[in-house]
Amino acid sequence: MALRHAVLAALLDGEFSGYQLAKGFDIGVANFWHALPQQLYAELSRLEGEGLVAGREVVQEGRPNKRLFTVTDAGVAELERFAADTAKPSFIRDDLLVKVQAVDGVDATPVIAQLRERARVAEAKTEVLTALLRRLRGDLDEEEFLRTGRRIGPYLTCLRGLAFERETREWCERSADLLTARGERAVRRGSGRAEA
């Protein structure tokens, strides 16, 4: 998948400025596709040049003018083509997992600290995604929303993000606890040998 498809999919919700799109990415789309604001602005420019999005200038009083973007019919056709392509399997590429893999040969203390920090970050993301899901479904409960909601694609991706963040938090906490306990046992064994 390219950033272009994530941008086109995000613009299906309506007309957005680059700033609004960046905020939307930061809140919802970032749980499955990361992009910096400057990457989004550059991609919007490319998509507009290819006719996949249309931009219009909005004059503002006392503030800089802004451009608003919408998906064109050609953009929807590109999304149709993309949606029909076979999805590539996902894979994990995470430097923290490499550190955990190496923990038997290095000092585990900094790795444990990083696991605990990652768990805290995952918990914060869980709270954000939970609030976003509530906002997306409005007054409906989840089952009703999934049966009758206008657009469930963003909701389903947030559900996946929520499950990922919960699992990440649980794995990080468990791994940190296990490594801490193993380190404490090793220290006790070492001090027992020293006394003998």
Side-chain angles (χ1 to χ4, degrees):
M1 177 173 97
L3 176 58
R4 66 194 292 111
H5 300 114
V7 170
L8 290 170
L11 286 173
L12 288 175
D13 285 325
E15 187 176 50
F16 296 105
S17 68
Y19 175 78
Q20 291 169 316
L21 187 65
K23 290 304 243 183
F25 256 70
D26 197 37
I27 294 170
V29 179
N31 80 75
F32 61 90
W33 193 267
H34 176 73
L36 298 171
Q38 54 267 40
Q39 291 173 303
L40 292 173
Y41 290 115
E43 191 61 42
L44 280 169
S45 180
R46 277 190 291 276
L47 291 169
E48 187 175 24
E50 294 174 31
L52 301 177
V53 301
R56 69 179 180 93
E57 192 83 13
V58 175
V59 177
Q60 302 185 103
E61 291 291 325
R63 299 170 68 189
N65 295 345
K66 66 180 178 180
R67 289 189 59 71
L68 296 177
F69 297 91
T70 56
V71 177
T72 64
D73 290 342
V76 172
E78 173 61 18
L79 275 175
E80 287 279 354
R81 185 203 59 72
F82 171 72
D85 282 349
T86 302
K88 296 175 184 165
S90 60
F91 60 90
I92 298 173
R93 192 168 121 181
D94 186 338
D95 62 344
L96 183 55
L97 290 177
V98 175
K99 294 173 185 186
V100 171
Q101 174 78 16
V103 79
D104 297 310
V106 300
D107 178 11
T109 306
V111 178
I112 292 168
Q114 291 173 63
L115 284 163
R116 296 210 188 280
E117 177 58 23
R118 180 76 61 90
R120 281 190 290 277
V121 169
E123 179 60 30
K125 287 181 179 179
T126 296
E127 291 171 12
V128 168
L129 290 169
T130 299
L132 180 57
L133 287 167
R134 273 195 303 272
R135 193 177 84 218
L136 288 171
R137 70 177 175 260
D139 296 332
L140 301 175
D141 69 28
E142 186 167 271
E143 291 308 313
E144 171 99 11
F145 179 79
L146 291 172
R147 280 193 312 276
T148 64
R150 185 179 69 82
R151 283 202 62 222
I152 67 165
Y155 196 87
L156 292 173
T157 60
C158 281
L159 280 178
R160 177 64 183 109
L162 181 61
F164 174 80
E165 295 302 341
R166 283 179 174 160
E167 185 178 301
T168 297
R169 185 197 68 229
E170 290 168 10
W171 178 83
C172 286
E173 288 173 349
R174 181 168 188 242
S175 297
D177 290 346
L178 286 167
L179 291 171
T180 299
R182 287 174 63 94
E184 289 168 356
R185 281 195 305 275
V187 167
R188 283 195 301 273
R189 279 194 310 270
S191 65
R193 278 196 298 271
E195 291 170 8

